Amino acid sequence: MGVAQTVAQESTSGEHVTVRWLAPASFTAQASEKLGFYFEVDPGWHVYWRNPGDSGAAPRFRIKPDGARVGPIEWPFPVRLKIEHLTNLGYAGNVAYLFDITPKQGTKVVSLTVELEWLVCKIECIPGFGTMTLSRPIADTAPWLPADLALRDYFAEKIPLPGVQSPWLPVSLSAQGEERIHLLLQMAGTAKPPEVFPLNGDLFTGAKPKLQREGGTLDYIFERLPGAALSETAGFVLSDGSRAWQLDRVAFGAAMPEAPQRPLWLLILAALAGGIILNLMPCVFPVLSIKLLGLVREGHSDSGRLREGLLYAAGVLTTFAVLGVLLLVLRAWGAAIGWGFQLQSAPVVMGLILLFWLMALSFSGVFEFGHRLVNLAGVSRGGTFATGVLAVFVAAPCTGPFMGVALGTAAILPAVEAILIFLGLGVGLAAPFVLLCASPVLLNRLPKPGPWMEKLRQFLAFPLYATVIWLLWVLGRMLGEGGWLIGALLLLAITFVLWLGYNFSRFGRICAWVLLLIFLVTGYLALNRGNGEASGDIVSWQEYDRLLLEQALEVGRPVFIDYTAAWCITCQVNKKLVLDTSEVQQLFQMNKVLLLRADWTRQDPEITESLAALGRNSVPVYAWYPAGSKEPQLLPQILQESMITDLFNGNKN
């Protein structure tokens, strides 16, 4: 009986988890020993690291030693656990949390009493509590069971080593706007980039950081928690998959180092190549072909053709210079009020969606976008200079795939260097025409337009479609699901207008223009209305209050209770995808439902008692009291919007 009691004290358990000691049979005097709390977790369930990530909770250990000094808890490096749109940091399986213990001088027996709290999760999460004791004599040796010692040593190897031993050295840490944080690491030798886990759960999300590699420098881009204030320092654990190192107190710097470490000449060379490639694009090539044939037919002398070529180059360079200055002005404007401000406006985002949608349809051959402009550029009698200007404009729809790097770099370079990059693009675009004008031999070798140009144009439509999808997602983030629906319907309407205008007579085209105007105005009004509703139509949840519940049931008011917790993954997913959507909130509001949120993040006896009354001891739980009923209905743990809708359809029936 006594033995059974001792064993019971040296372990504890809860649903889906058992905890026991990893400890020797005795300690040696004043010699430090590493012990462990070994969590044996059911398959498919997990427990958490010190920073649990987007949800969850780290286990807590309150150790009361007698006759010994104990060190802090040592956490093996974690893995990322992706669940829906959340990312948690923890252990998918058994794990041992370790700590050091050193018997005091003259101690005969070392005793420990530990109160534990933990959270074990799969889809649902279940908290656990327990108390464990340990009593060991002081002896000449510290004998271990071989299996326990192997477990202790296995997890001890996963404890992060000091950062000074790390193969990667921190270079800088800085915030970029309100959403991102950059950590630059310098990589030694040929080591592979490590996994990086932030220690500051109140500043970083659990999402895996994006990695950009530049030579031996690794740029980890973390997502910052919305509204989180910057601390003076942050800590990280780096892991190569078998070992780990901990960087403590990495200080935030004032700014990132200059992002482009490529030399300027290399950037200009890249811009030059991009400009040359533009000549092969279907937007530009027809212009050059028509203009060159015109020069040949008009019988210009060699010097005359060279003069025409230089005029064309002047037109191209002047246009690129003007565009470059315009970009710098916009950049300065954007820097003053926040770069990317234009994408904070729903109508602007919708305008970009329509532009890229039309370009993509044109590239796919649904209709000819800019066809007349191309012809005008080719046969323009306003001088070769004007042809150069027009060539740049008609090239605009084709520039995206090739000018992205140049535009992105120009956005952060000093003004002079940015202009040089734009001029490099212009030189690249103008060079082939000038070269052909200067060399009749090359002029006769001009490639003929062919099917390959059409294939290339069709291929380039797909990046544009991808851009449309991304912008629709942005619109949805701004306005909720209603924004995505408005955007998609407007695209459908514009496509119908194009079909009407291109397939019917003059009357059809007039109808198309009228419908286009109606759709644009209606879409604009819907966007503005949606923007206003997005911030104001959410019904506030009230904290769970038994008295409030009883009062509502007495008067026959419907009540919906959301038993939730911050560490509950399923709870957060259901909130995001169902309960806090504008559609469901409007449904609750229309039916005058009292919404109570019972937050079980911390222990709350009243909520625990309420859960027990429902026959539950974990969250999520969703209790629905129909109007006039005092008996709750329990909904499934995985919610769908249709389940909420059915609640009210049932009432009507």
Side-chain angles (χ1 to χ4, degrees), residues 68-92:
R69 297 185 300 274
V70 298
I73 295 294
E74 298 174 343
W75 308 78
F77 69 84
V79 297
R80 285 188 165 84
L81 303 165
K82 185 75 174 173
I83 300 175
E84 298 292 344
H85 65 287
L86 302 176
T87 302
N88 292 329
L89 305 179
Y91 310 97

Side-chain angles (χ1 to χ4, degrees), residues 257-472:
E258 291 294 333
Q261 298 180 357
R262 304 181 186 91
L264 180 62
W265 67 267
L266 189 59
L267 291 171
I268 295 176
L269 190 62
L272 186 68
I276 293 173
I277 294 173
L278 272 179
N279 288 278
L280 299 177
M281 300 305 294
C283 310
V284 180
F285 194 82
V287 178
L288 300 184
S289 300
I290 295 171
K291 191 65 185 175
L292 284 169
L293 290 175
L295 291 178
V296 173
R297 281 198 301 266
E298 292 172 6
H300 287 279
S301 62
D302 291 348
S303 60
R305 283 198 299 273
L306 180 58
R307 183 177 61 84
E308 294 294 319
L310 293 176
L311 282 173
Y312 168 82
V316 170
L317 291 174
T318 301
T319 309
F320 266 111
V322 170
L323 291 176
V325 171
L326 180 60
L327 179 89
L328 293 175
V329 172
L330 292 175
R331 187 183 75 175
W333 185 24
I337 60 176
W339 185 251
F341 68 95
Q342 65 275 20
L343 292 180
Q344 296 173 354
S345 167
V348 170
V349 173
M350 193 65 242
L352 292 174
I353 291 173
L354 292 178
L355 175 63
F356 287 118
W357 179 247
L358 291 173
M359 290 169 58
L361 291 178
S362 174
F363 278 27
S364 294
V366 176
F367 75 103
E368 293 295 333
F369 180 70
H371 180 70
R372 294 181 180 179
L373 187 59
V374 171
N375 288 336
L376 178 63
V379 301
S380 171
R381 295 184 180 278
T384 311
F385 181 89
T387 302
V389 175
L390 288 175
V392 176
F393 277 101
V394 298
C398 302
T399 54
F402 302 98
M403 290 178 61
V405 174
L407 290 174
T409 308
I412 55 177
L413 282 178
V416 174
E417 296 178 8
I419 289 295
L420 287 176
I421 289 178
F422 268 85
L423 292 178
L425 283 165
V427 170
L429 178 60
F433 187 89
V434 175
L435 189 60
L436 288 169
C437 288
S439 173
V441 176
L442 291 177
L443 187 61
N444 293 330
R445 295 179 179 273
L446 188 67
K448 300 293 187 296
W452 64 271
M453 293 172 52
E454 186 62 24
K455 297 294 184 187
L456 180 61
R457 188 182 72 165
Q458 293 173 2
F459 170 77
L460 292 176
F462 292 98
L464 294 173
Y465 288 126
T467 305
V468 170
I469 293 172
W470 170 68
L471 288 172
L472 281 172

Side-chain angles (χ1 to χ4, degrees), residues 33-114:
E33 191 70 58
K34 194 177 291 295
L35 307 189
F37 301 100
Y38 186 50
F39 280 62
E40 295 177 283
V41 184
D42 285 353
W45 293 76
H46 61 267
V47 290
Y48 292 91
W49 190 47
R50 56 188 300 182
N51 169 17
D54 293 337
S55 66
R60 298 179 182 178
F61 309 90
R62 283 185 285 275
I63 306 175
K64 298 176 181 177
D66 184 8
R69 297 185 300 274
V70 298
I73 295 294
E74 298 174 343
W75 308 78
F77 69 84
V79 297
R80 285 188 165 84
L81 303 165
K82 185 75 174 173
I83 300 175
E84 298 292 344
H85 65 287
L86 302 176
T87 302
N88 292 329
L89 305 179
Y91 310 97
N94 300 345
V95 65
Y97 303 94
L98 308 178
F99 66 98
D100 287 330
I101 183 170
T102 306
K104 294 180 179 177
Q105 186 175 8
T107 298
K108 301 298 182 183
V109 176
V110 170
S111 300
L112 299 176
T113 301
V114 185

Side-chain angles (χ1 to χ4, degrees), residues 117-246:
E117 296 179 24
W118 65 82
L119 187 70
V120 60
C121 296
K122 189 176 184 181
I123 295 177
E124 66 274 26
C125 293
I126 302 176
F129 310 91
T131 300
M132 292 168 52
T133 61
L134 181 76
S135 182
R136 294 288 188 271
I138 301 298
D140 294 335
T141 60
W144 281 78
L145 292 174
D148 284 358
L149 183 60
L151 280 173
R152 195 280 309 266
D153 291 345
Y154 173 78
F155 287 104
E157 290 185 356
K158 294 180 177 297
I159 301 300
L161 299 169
V164 293
Q165 302 178 23
S166 167
W168 306 274
L169 300 176
V171 177
S172 71
L173 177 66
S174 62
Q176 184 183 47
E178 297 292 329
E179 298 180 350
R180 295 181 180 83
I181 294 175
H182 286 255
L183 171 67
L184 284 188
L185 298 178
Q186 186 66 41
M187 187 168 58
T190 58
K192 294 171 62 177
E195 284 283 316
V196 181
F197 305 97
L199 296 174
N200 304 59
D202 56 349
L203 179 58
F204 300 86
T205 71
K208 185 176 183 178
K210 295 179 181 177
L211 173 61
Q212 295 180 352
R213 187 171 182 169
E214 186 74 32
T217 302
L218 305 173
D219 182 5
Y220 288 86
I221 307 171
F222 291 88
E223 294 180 5
R224 181 176 170 182
L225 283 173
L230 281 183
S231 52
E232 294 184 357
T233 62
F236 302 90
V237 166
L238 319 178
S239 171
D240 63 0
S242 58
R243 301 299 301 271
W245 298 263
Q246 182 165 322

